[in-house]
C-alpha cells in the first residue's frame, strides 16, 4: 500500500464525516500490521465534548477488530471538505497513536493538490508519556 493509496482512502473516509457544527470534515485511513486498512471520520455532537476525531475513530475500529500494531496513517481534512491545507493530528490523537505505535510510525498528511507531507510519530510527539512511565 503506497502513501498515495492510503491518502485516497482517507479522502473517501472524509466523505462520511459528521461535522454539522464545525463544518470541518476529516478522514483517516489507518494501515494495520496485517495490511488491513481501517477508516475513520470525525463524528461531532451537539454537546461538543462527546465529539471524536477521525484518527481516534479509526484506531477504535482497528482495536475493536483485534488489531493492535500499525504501519501508518493518512489524514485529510478541511472546511466543508475542501482540503486546502494539511490537517495535522490534534494532541489527543497523537497521544492515542503513542499508545499503540512506535516512534517510527508514519503519519501522512494529504492535500487537495496531491501533495503529501510525511512525519514520524517521534517528530510529532517527542518525549511521549506511555505505559512504561507507569511501571
Ligand atoms: N478533527 C479531527 O477529526 N482530527 C484532527 O486531527 C483535527 C480535528 C475534527 C474534530 C472536530 O470535529 C473538527 O475536526 C474541528 O475541530
Amino acid at each position: 500500500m503506497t502513501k498515495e493509496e492510503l491518502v485516497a482512502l482517507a479522502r473517501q473516509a472524509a466523505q462520511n464525516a459528521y461535522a454539522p457544527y464545525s463544518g470541518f470534515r476529516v478522514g483517516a485511513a489507518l494501515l494495520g500490521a496485517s495490511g488491513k486498512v481501517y477508516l475513520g471520520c470525525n463524528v461531532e455532537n451537539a454537546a461538543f465534548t462527546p465529539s471524536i476525531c477521525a484518527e481516534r475513530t479509526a484506531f477504535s475500529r482497528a482495536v475493536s477488530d483485534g488489531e493492535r500494531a500499525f504501519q501508518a496513517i493518512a489524514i485529510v481534512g478541511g472546511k466543508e471538505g475542501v482540503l486546502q491545507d494539511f490537517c495535522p493530528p490534534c494532541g489527543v490523537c497523537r497521544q492515542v497513536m503513542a499508545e499503540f505505535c512506535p516512534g517510527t510510525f508514519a503519519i501522512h498528511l494529504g492535500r487537495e493538490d496531491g501533495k503529501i507531507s510525511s512525519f514520524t510519530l517521534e517528530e510529532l510527539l517527542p518525549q511521549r508519556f506511555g505505559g512504561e512511565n507507569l511501571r
Side-chain angles (χ1 to χ4, degrees):
M1 164 94 29
T2 66
K3 58 186 178 180
E4 287 80 10
E5 287 170 328
L6 207 56
V7 167
L9 290 170
R11 292 185 67 148
Q12 210 172 289
Q15 287 174 7
N16 289 333
Y18 177 72
Y21 305 106
S22 72
F24 196 85
R25 306 168 70 83
V26 186
L30 176 62
L31 179 60
S34 67
K36 209 173 148 193
V37 177
Y38 304 87
L39 302 184
C41 62
N42 54 331
V43 182
E44 297 185 346
N45 188 281
F48 290 5
T49 48
S51 301
I52 186 167
C53 292
E55 298 90 322
R56 278 178 290 138
T57 303
F59 270 92
S60 297
R61 288 185 77 178
V63 173
S64 299
D65 271 8
E67 183 117 41
R68 292 186 181 175
F70 303 98
Q71 303 183 44
I73 192 169
I75 306 163
V76 301
K79 200 85 182 160
E80 313 309 341
V82 180
L83 311 176
Q84 203 176 324
D85 298 312
F86 294 122
C87 175
C90 81
V92 173
C93 289
R94 294 178 197 202
Q95 181 63 28
V96 168
M97 291 173 194
E99 184 68 26
F100 296 102
C101 307
T104 53
F105 179 66
I107 300 162
H108 304 297
L109 310 182
R111 209 165 62 175
E112 196 69 59
D113 64 3
K115 287 223 168 66
I116 296 175
S117 184
S118 299
F119 301 90
T120 63
L121 179 59
E122 167 64 24
E123 287 173 317
L124 294 192
L125 192 63
Q127 297 298 321
R128 297 175 292 288
F129 182 84
E132 60 282 5
N133 295 105
L134 296 175
R135 276 188 215 114

